Amino acid sequence: DTEVTQTPKHLVMGMTNKKSLKCEQHMGHRAMYWYKQKAKKPPELMFVYSYEKLSINESVPSRFSPECPNSSLLNLHLHALQPEDSALYLCASSQGRVEGHEQYFGPGTRLTVT
Amino acid sequence: DAKTTQPTSMDCAEGRAANLPCNHSTISGNEYVYWYRQIHSQGPQYIIHGLKNNETNEMASLIITEDRKSSTLILPHATLRDTAVYYCIVKGRAAGNKLTFGGGTRVLVKP
């Protein structure tokens, strides 16, 4: 199984809502990632979890709150988002070794903030 | 990590080899060259990576020049399903788990 799954596929939320994005992998990977991708732009890294601990936070606003309940699951909790946060949110995982590893990406959650 | 330069776009003929160039003139000795692609409305997909030697897998070949300042991704027989944005990324140990995507090359395979 080389699949990273993300739910939901699409999400529309108001600026006062609280919602969560979910990501799951069963490849035994110990590193998991959240990326944000605006239209016609490359993906931008938001967070990295390594061995279930947050290792990289790319100065992401606190209205985005990541959580890694176990080595297979990664959540992104959303609260008080702005319309400019509308984007494709991508989850990825990798073996966690520093060199020579590839990242496996999920299909993404397309988020619209109204 | 070293910066990469790729053409913004290119067209390829179906069934022909597609050669995608990438310039990374400031690459350092311990930095790898990675290639990913992103088909429309999907997540990026890993293609191949290399350090010094040329590499080949079931998807593509990676040719790295002897001075390592540039590389070429070769899709041997392009199909319409290879239409995607192709990203060349240079990453070393200092970057840890961090992948930094540049603008990439938008490849259109035409019948």
Side-chain angles (χ1 to χ4, degrees):
Chain A
D1 182 5
T2 58
E3 190 179 21
V4 175
T5 58
Q6 291 187 244
T7 55
K9 288 188 176 181
H10 301 274
L11 178 63
V12 179
M13 61 184 290
M15 290 188 285
T16 58
N17 291 159
K18 286 185 180 181
K19 296 288 185 182
S20 296
L21 309 184
K22 297 184 183 303
C23 174
E24 190 166 3
Q25 58 87 16
H26 295 287
M27 295 177 277
H29 289 170
R30 301 310 300 271
M32 296 187 75
Y33 312 77
W34 283 114
Y35 289 81
K36 174 181 178 179
Q37 186 173 26
K38 301 283 281 183
K40 299 191 183 301
K41 297 291 186 181
E44 294 181 346
L45 183 67
M46 300 174 72
F47 302 104
V48 179
Y49 272 83
S50 181
Y51 293 84
E52 295 143 60
K53 294 190 186 308
L54 184 64
S55 61
I56 296 177
N57 176 341
E58 290 288 282
S59 302
V60 179
S62 60
R63 58 185 184 269
F64 295 91
S65 176
E67 178 196 20
C68 189
N70 60 56
S71 60
S72 299
L73 295 174
L74 186 66
N75 299 321
L76 186 63
H77 303 298
L78 314 172
H79 173 56
L81 294 193
Q82 303 298 311
E84 59 264 29
D85 296 321
S86 299
L88 181 68
Y89 288 84
L90 294 160
C91 174
S93 70
S94 70
Q95 290 183 4
R97 290 179 291 116
V98 173
E99 295 173 354
H101 70 275
E102 60 266 33
Q103 293 186 18
Y104 291 81
F105 285 80
T109 292
R110 190 161 298 281
L111 173 68
T112 302
V113 182
T114 60
Chain B
D1 293 329
K3 179 177 168 55
T4 62
T5 304
Q6 299 178 254
T8 303
S9 64
M10 61 186 295
D11 293 346
C12 304
E14 186 181 21
R16 304 293 294 271
N19 296 289
L20 283 60
C22 180
N23 184 288
H24 32 79
S25 58
T26 60
I27 193 170
S28 61
N30 64 355
E31 290 183 317
Y32 286 77
V33 179
Y34 289 80
W35 284 83
Y36 285 76
R37 74 179 183 184
Q38 187 171 22
I39 295 170
H40 182 61
S41 296
Q42 297 183 22
Q45 176 189 23
Y46 165 82
I47 302 173
I48 199 166
H49 75 280
L51 183 62
K52 295 180 181 178
N53 301 321
N54 298 335
E55 302 287 345
T56 295
N57 63 20
E58 65 278 3
M59 288 183 67
S61 294
L62 173 60
I63 308 298
I64 302 174
T65 58
E66 192 167 341
D67 64 8
R68 302 211 322 125
K69 294 185 176 182
S70 66
S71 60
T72 301
L73 179 75
I74 301 173
L75 307 178
H77 304 286
T79 71
L80 300 180
R81 288 175 296 179
D82 292 322
T83 292
V85 178
Y86 287 76
Y87 297 101
C88 171
I89 301 168
V90 170
K91 191 182 85 68
R93 174 176 282 274
N97 299 83
K98 182 176 177 179
L99 270 182
T100 302
F101 289 82
T105 297
R106 192 170 297 274
V107 173
L108 176 61
V109 180
K110 295 183 173 180

